[in-house]
Amino acid sequence: EWWNDEGLKALSVRVVRAAPNDLGANKMRAEVLGLLGGGPATWELGCRSAAELREAAAYFERAAAIELAPIHKAELASGAGWCRSRADAI
């Protein structure tokens, strides 16, 4: 019932509110808003506004600040950049 685009967006808000400094919570919100975790095998994706993509970028940056492993920090920073470039293109 919640495994759809709107349900996952709402769930990710609750998760990050419950654990604002948790790496997994911030990554979840970033991936849901940034459309990086979905696809036909997981959930049907909706469209994202520029504001949602910018919010995703901010959550990627928050996750990068928490992450300890340099390679994962770089991946998260890359996700933030990708979201910002997509937002700027809208």
Side-chain angles (χ1 to χ4, degrees):
E1 174 176 311
W2 55 268
W3 194 256
N4 57 57
D5 199 44
E6 291 305 313
L8 287 168
K9 285 197 288 187
L11 177 63
S12 67
V13 167
R14 291 192 305 272
V15 169
V16 85
R17 279 188 187 150
N21 297 316
D22 181 77
L23 175 62
N26 283 282
K27 283 175 59 175
M28 177 191 188
R29 183 72 176 152
E31 290 175 0
V32 167
L33 287 177
L35 302 174
L36 300 182
T42 54
W43 81 88
E44 189 169 329
L45 301 171
C47 294
R48 293 293 182 267
S49 67
E52 287 174 313
L53 290 167
R54 286 189 183 93
E55 183 180 349
Y59 278 102
F60 274 115
E61 289 172 345
R62 287 175 68 176
I66 298 166
E67 177 61 62
L68 298 176
I71 186 83
H72 297 301
K73 274 187 178 293
E75 290 170 351
L76 292 164
S78 176
W82 184 86
C83 288
R84 281 209 171 77
S85 69
R86 291 287 314 266
D88 291 345
I90 293 176

